[in-house]
Amino acid sequence: MVHFTVEEENLVCVYYKADRRRTMGRMTAALPDMDGDMQALARQTIRKLEAMTDADFEDMRFLFTDE
């Protein structure tokens, strides 16, 4: 099972789009508009999403946490 940090989970919530592949696509498309730290976080999150199956993604509950 893939574990996400609060920051990674929030990023998934921001770019969530129906399924895992579309979510990764939206996040990848936004990379050029992100600063260096955010790009690193997004790439790390994308790697974790790539490591998941579609079924695992569908079973996950991504909740936005406002700290």
Side-chain angles (χ1 to χ4, degrees), residues 11 34-43:
L11 197 60
M34 297 178 185
D35 69 18
D37 290 339
M38 188 59 76
Q39 279 185 356
L41 177 64
R43 285 190 177 103

Side-chain angles (χ1 to χ4, degrees), residues 53-66:
T53 65
D54 291 333
D56 287 340
F57 182 81
E58 289 176 17
D59 289 342
M60 291 285 298
R61 298 272 188 250
F62 293 101
L63 301 171
F64 188 83
T65 303
D66 187 16

Side-chain angles (χ1 to χ4, degrees), residues 9-24:
E9 193 166 330
N10 283 347
L11 197 60
V12 170
C13 288
V14 169
Y15 292 101
Y16 182 82
K17 182 71 175 178
D19 60 37
R20 181 180 65 93
R21 292 167 202 256
R22 289 180 188 168
T23 301
M24 287 187 302

